[in-house]
């Protein structure tokens, strides 16, 4: 079992600690690509039009400063840097030592800056989304797609892949479809199913947390995943994956 998560949009900077070691992150073969993206990001972030290029609103424009001298900034484990609704629901801090070890091994965060990181990887805070087009590199999803496919091929071989990412991050890495189940979340509102972004993020975080609480390596088949999720959300539905299309796990939340 491998769980794919998006990074959080907001991040909590480390206050102290060593700087990032690119060779110490998961998939060290991505070090050169990470360095290239970071260098282009630094150049963009000191420009007058940085906020426009990076698609950052005025309220959080100050976060662009984190992209400058990123190789010298203090780093901390990704589970401390990434914050927000999904990561609050994941509750890494509340896990047992065994569950944390499982999370470090089984959860991958697909990142616009780092390509892929594990929750235990030490990284600095940054501001960059996967839908950004960096001058000199182009669309980041396009940049990362072939590199991640190659770097992650061996890691995901034979594993059930549980995809909890948003669409922008799904574009950057397309795992083997016959092994993949994408997690969707809908809520019943006035008798109809509706997608609610806040609830979707929170529920995907809960999915990841619950899977860390399962015994052993977790579900190995889509049906086993369905059974595990129906214990918590009885109306959960599954469309099985095919060689051409990922499966769809739909978690149905009631009106309450």
């Amino acid at each position: 079992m491998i769980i794919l998560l998006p990074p959080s949009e907001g991040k909590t900077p480390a206050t102290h600690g060593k700087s990032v070691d690119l060779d110490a992150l998961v998939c060290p073969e991505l070090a050169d690509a990470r360095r290239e993206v970071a260098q282009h990001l630094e150049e963009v972030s000191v420009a007058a039009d940085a906020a426009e290029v990076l698609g950052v609103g005025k309220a959080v424009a100050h976060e662009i400063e984190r992209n400058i001298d990123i190789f010298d900034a203090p780093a901390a484990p990704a589970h401390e840097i990434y914050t927000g609704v999904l990561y609050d629901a994941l509750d890494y801090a509340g896990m047992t030592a065994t569950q944390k070890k499982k999370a470090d091994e089984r959860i991958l965060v697909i990142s616009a800056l780092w390509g892929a990181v594990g929750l235990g990887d030490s990284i600095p805070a940054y501001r960059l989304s996967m839908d950004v087009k960096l001058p000199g590199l182009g669309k980041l999803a396009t940049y990362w797609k072939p590199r991640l496919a190659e770097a992650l091929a061996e890691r995901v071989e034979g594993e059930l892949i549980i995809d909890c990412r948003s669409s922008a991050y799904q574009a950057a890495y397309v795992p083997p479809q016959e092994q993949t189940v994408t997690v969707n979340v809908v809520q019943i509102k006035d008798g109809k199913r509706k997608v609610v972004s806040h609830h979707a993020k929170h529920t995907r975080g809960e999915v990841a947390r619950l899977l860390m609480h399962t015994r052993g390596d977790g579900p190995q088949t889509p049906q086993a995943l369905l059974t595990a999720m129906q214990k918590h959300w009885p109306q959960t539905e599954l469309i099985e994956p095919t060689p051409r299309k990922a499966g769809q796990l739909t978690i149905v939340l009631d009106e309450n």
Side-chain angles (χ1 to χ4, degrees):
M1 174 187 72
I2 296 291
I3 301 174
L4 302 178
L5 296 183
S8 60
E9 194 165 304
K11 300 170 183 70
T12 301
T15 56
H16 61 278
K18 295 180 179 180
S19 58
V20 64
D21 178 357
L22 298 182
D23 292 323
L25 306 182
V26 296
C27 304
E29 62 270 35
L30 293 173
D32 289 343
R34 291 163 172 151
R35 187 173 292 106
E36 183 176 32
V37 175
Q39 288 171 345
H40 280 75
L41 179 60
E42 285 184 342
E43 292 173 5
V44 167
S45 298
V46 297
D49 61 347
E52 181 180 353
V53 173
L54 297 176
V56 176
K58 291 182 179 179
V60 292
H62 63 280
E63 294 181 3
I64 295 174
E65 295 177 7
R66 299 173 183 171
N67 300 335
I68 303 170
D69 297 325
I70 202 161
F71 293 115
D72 297 322
H79 63 80
E80 295 180 9
I81 298 294
Y82 294 133
T83 53
V85 175
L86 188 154
Y87 288 88
D88 286 347
L90 175 62
D91 189 23
Y92 183 96
M95 294 181 188
T96 65
T98 299
Q99 291 163 355
K100 288 178 179 178
K101 183 176 184 294
K102 186 175 179 179
D104 292 346
E105 294 173 349
R106 298 287 172 178
I107 295 177
L108 286 174
V109 181
I110 303 303
S111 163
L113 177 54
W114 312 114
V117 295
L119 291 181
D121 288 352
S122 287
I123 58 173
Y126 60 95
R127 186 75 193 201
L128 183 65
S129 299
M130 190 64 83
D131 54 5
V132 166
K133 183 177 181 180
L134 280 182
L137 286 187
K139 292 182 179 180
L140 287 169
T142 302
Y143 176 89
W144 282 116
K145 188 174 181 179
R147 292 167 173 83
L148 287 173
E150 181 178 359
L152 295 176
E154 184 175 347
R155 190 181 187 94
V156 304
E157 185 175 0
E159 299 281 1
L160 174 66
I161 302 166
I162 302 163
D163 194 347
C164 295
R165 298 172 295 165
S166 53
S167 58
Y169 290 88
Q170 288 176 345
Y173 171 57
V174 181
Q177 298 295 273
E178 67 276 9
Q179 298 171 223
T180 303
V181 175
T182 299
V183 177
N184 305 305
V185 182
V186 297
Q187 186 173 31
I188 304 298
K189 291 278 189 179
D190 301 322
K192 297 180 180 180
R193 294 185 178 189
K194 295 185 178 181
V195 176
V196 184
S197 178
H198 178 88
H199 289 304
K201 290 179 180 179
H202 184 271
T203 303
R204 287 179 179 131
E206 285 189 301
V207 167
R209 176 175 55 80
L210 290 169
L211 290 171
M212 294 305 101
H213 288 233
T214 58
R215 292 183 177 181
D217 293 333
Q220 300 300 303
T221 66
Q223 281 295 329
L225 173 64
L226 174 64
T227 299
M229 293 302 102
Q230 284 180 332
K231 292 177 181 178
H232 303 276
W233 299 284
Q235 298 182 74
T236 302
E237 302 168 353
L238 173 70
I239 298 175
E240 291 270 4
T242 70
R244 293 188 176 184
K245 191 172 183 179
Q248 302 292 319
L249 185 83
T250 301
I251 294 174
V252 183
L253 308 177
D254 61 30
E255 292 196 62
N256 298 319

